[in-house]
Amino acid sequence: MTFQQVSEPYDAYDVLVVGGSGVDTVVSVGALPVPLADSYAVPPLYEGAGHTGTGVALGCAALGLTTGFVDFIGDDHPGTLVRERMAGSGVDFRPLISPHGTRRAVNLVAPDGRRMSFYDARDPAELRMPPEHYLPPLRRARHVHLSIMNFARFLYDDIEALGLPVSTDLQDWDGLTDHHREFALRSDLVFLSTAGASERIAVVMREILHEGRAEAVIATAGAGGAYLLSADDRTPRLVPAVVPPGPVVDSNGAGDAFTSGFLYGRLAGRDLEECARLGAVAGAYACTSRGTHTALVGPEELHAALRAKATAPLTAPPGGDGHRIPGPPDAQVSPTGA
C-alpha cells in the first residue's frame, strides 16, 4: 500500500472518522424481495460514493463540524469516485492506497425507499493502518467515530491512551457475531439497527450498556423511529420518527445521517434526548433523494425541523418490559450501511 498525497491536515477536528468509504451502485426495483426471474428491465443505475464512513463524514461536515477522515481506497475508478465526492465537501480526507481496491456495494431500492444491500468488503483480515498515518490526526480530534472495518479495532488502544470519546455503528448486529463485539464494548456511543437482533434488540442494547463502556446505545428502526438506552433508563425509550421534508425516495445513508445529527448535538453539549431528535431529523432528510449521501441536512434546516417536531414526547416502546421492540420493515441492511 502507498500513501495518498494530500494537503496539510487541519489544526483540529471536531470529528475524525476512521474507515467505511466505498462506492454504491443503486438499482431501482419494483418491490422487495425481488421475485425470481432471469432478468429485469430497470431505470438507469446510479453509481456514487457511499458506505457508512463516507456518510458520517459528509454529514458532520455539512453540519459545520470540522471533520477528518482516514481510510483505505483503491487506485481504481471507484476510488476516484470517492476522492471526487470528498473534494470540496469540507471533509479532510486522508486515504491510503490499498492494492485490494475500493469497497463496493450493490443496493436494490424499492419504490417505498426500502433497500437491500450486497456488500463487497475486499479488505483482508490482516490489513492494518500504520500508526504514522492515523496518529497525527487522532491527536487533533475531539471525537473519533470508528466504522466496523477490521483494521479500525486496532486503533482503540491509542484512542483510550489519548482519552478521546469514541462512537461506532454496529449496523445490523445480531448481538452474537464476534466481529462486532469489541466495537460494541469499547465505544462511548453505540449505534445499531434493529434489523439484526429484531425482537432481541432491547436485550442486546442492555448487554452493550452493562458489559461495555457506553454511556448510550441507540437503535434505529427506519420508519419506526429509534430507541435510546442510557444508564438512567430501565428500558429503551422511543424516539419518534420525523416526517421527511419531501417524498421518501431512497433510505440509503439514513442511518449514517442519524449518527451525524446525533454527534452534532453531542459535541454541542446537548442531552441525549435532543441528540436523538437531531439524528431523527437528519435521517429523515437523507431519504428525500436518490443515491447515498446525496441529501445532507445543514444546521439551520436541522434546528428548524427540530423546533417544528418538538411537541412529540419520548415514550417507552410497546411492551413496557423492554424485551420486545417492533423491528423495521423487512429490508436487509449491509454490514457497512452502504
Side-chain angles (χ1 to χ4, degrees), residues 196-207:
S198 189
E199 295 183 357
R200 295 182 55 254
I201 188 64
V203 174
V204 172
M205 293 173 73
R206 278 197 292 270
E207 288 176 351

Side-chain angles (χ1 to χ4, degrees), residues 57-116:
L58 289 172
C60 287
L63 288 169
L65 298 174
T66 305
T67 306
F69 187 13
V70 294
D71 196 12
F72 293 95
I73 59 172
D75 185 14
D76 49 23
H77 174 65
T80 299
L81 293 178
V82 174
R83 289 193 297 269
E84 289 176 348
R85 181 66 180 89
M86 290 296 154
S89 68
V91 176
D92 186 26
F93 185 42
R94 306 185 66 78
L96 284 172
I97 300 301
S98 167
H100 307 288
T102 304
R103 304 175 200 100
R104 302 293 304 271
V106 175
N107 300 333
L108 308 185
V109 179
D112 62 2
R114 294 182 305 129
R115 68 92 183 264
M116 177 179 288

Side-chain angles (χ1 to χ4, degrees), residues 213-260:
R213 57 178 287 172
E215 65 167 323
V217 182
I218 306 95
T220 56
Y227 297 93
L228 169 67
L229 184 69
S230 70
D232 298 329
D233 302 316
R234 288 186 61 251
T235 60
R237 289 173 283 169
L238 174 65
V239 181
V242 171
V243 177
V248 173
V249 177
D250 188 341
S251 62
N252 282 297
D256 305 325
F258 184 104
T259 297
S260 301

